[in-house]
């Protein structure tokens, strides 16, 4: 038997400040990088991240991701999550990164589900300002604001490109649509219910 594990490659230089134009650039870890000698302090800086984001959408939440498009010197990932009252960051997966969540305001009910290997064990917890919670790489997880006020959390992920798969969106808003017969049998529900779900506007993050 042969086993294989893959992760983001280790950096081959001190810094990689991403550039859109590859002229006179180095290709490192899947991105074109500015010549390190031309790097400035502003390549590592972003202002305005504390500004509240609108949660006026079906999930009553808003995820503001910080990517290399906003901070060219970024080598991990960061996100600010705003939750309205009852706001949900719906079940999703980061296929390439472990997530660390820090609650700044409000009360969140959250959890993750392990793979078949651990019998789909569900770990759940209610956390408060100052609490930190870890979502292991590749596990389905969510956060729900159960408090009486808006909530805010900061999320950091261990990859510069962790990816996100919002479960409901991926299954019911795939393009082209997954056959209703497949989803109906997979979820053991009627095909009409699947067709109804496919007609809904699933979009978050």
């Amino acid at each position: 038997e042969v086993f294989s594990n893959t992760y983001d490659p280790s950096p081959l230089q001190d810094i990689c400040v991403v550039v859109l134009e590859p002229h006179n650039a180095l290709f490192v870890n899947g991105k074109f990088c500015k010549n390190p000698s031309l790097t400035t302090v502003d390549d590592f800086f972003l202002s305005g991240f504390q500004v509240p984001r609108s949660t006026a959408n079906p999930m009553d939440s808003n995820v503001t991701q910080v990517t290399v498009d906003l901070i060219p010197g970024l080598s991990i990932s960061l996100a600010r999550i705003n939750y309205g009252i009852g706001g949900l960051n719906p079940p999703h997966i980061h296929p390439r990164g472990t997530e660390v969540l820090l609650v700044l305001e409000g009360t969140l009910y959250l959890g993750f589900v392990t793979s078949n290997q651990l019998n789909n064990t569900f770990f759940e917890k209610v956390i408060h300002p100052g609490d930190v919670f870890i979502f292991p790489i590749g596990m389905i997880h969510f956060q729900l604001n159960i408090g009486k006020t808006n909530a805010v959390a900061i999320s950091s992920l261990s990859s510069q490109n962790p990816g996100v798969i919002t479960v409901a969106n991926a299954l019911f808003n795939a393009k082209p649509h997954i056959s209703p017969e497949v989803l109906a049998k997979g979820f053991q529900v009627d095909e009409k219910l699947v067709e109804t779900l496919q007609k809904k506007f699933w979009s978050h993050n």
Side-chain angles (χ1 to χ4, degrees), residues 86-155:
L88 173 69
N89 190 9
H92 62 282
I93 300 165
H94 300 294
R96 294 179 295 276
T98 293
E99 179 177 354
V100 181
L101 187 88
L102 167 65
V103 180
L104 299 181
E105 301 173 16
T107 302
L108 298 178
Y109 166 65
L110 48 69
F112 68 89
V113 181
T114 64
S115 70
N116 297 0
Q117 183 183 40
L118 292 177
N119 299 315
N120 303 121
T121 302
F122 178 44
F123 292 92
E124 59 181 331
K125 195 165 184 67
V126 173
I127 64 175
H128 307 276
D131 290 344
V132 172
F133 195 85
I134 306 296
F135 298 110
I137 185 171
M139 301 294 102
I140 296 176
H141 61 283
F142 67 89
Q143 306 101 42
L144 174 68
N145 179 8
I146 60 171
K148 296 181 179 179
T149 63
N150 292 343
V152 180
I154 297 293
S155 169

Side-chain angles (χ1 to χ4, degrees), residues 2-72:
V2 176
F3 295 94
S4 174
N5 287 308
T6 57
Y7 290 91
D8 287 2
S10 298
L12 302 178
Q13 59 193 52
D14 284 352
I15 53 178
C16 172
V17 175
V18 173
V19 291
L20 297 179
E21 295 297 330
H23 181 67
N24 288 332
L26 304 171
F27 191 72
V28 179
N29 290 2
K31 297 289 185 182
F32 285 104
C33 303
K34 181 190 292 186
N35 185 325
S37 65
L38 301 178
T39 299
T40 70
V41 69
D42 285 337
D43 290 327
F44 304 93
F45 174 75
L46 174 68
S47 181
F49 197 55
Q50 82 286 0
V51 177
R53 267 56 177 187
S54 171
T55 59
N57 58 61
M59 294 295 134
D60 297 310
S61 68
N62 185 314
V63 178
T64 305
Q65 294 181 318
V66 176
T67 66
V68 291
D69 296 324
L70 295 176
I71 304 181

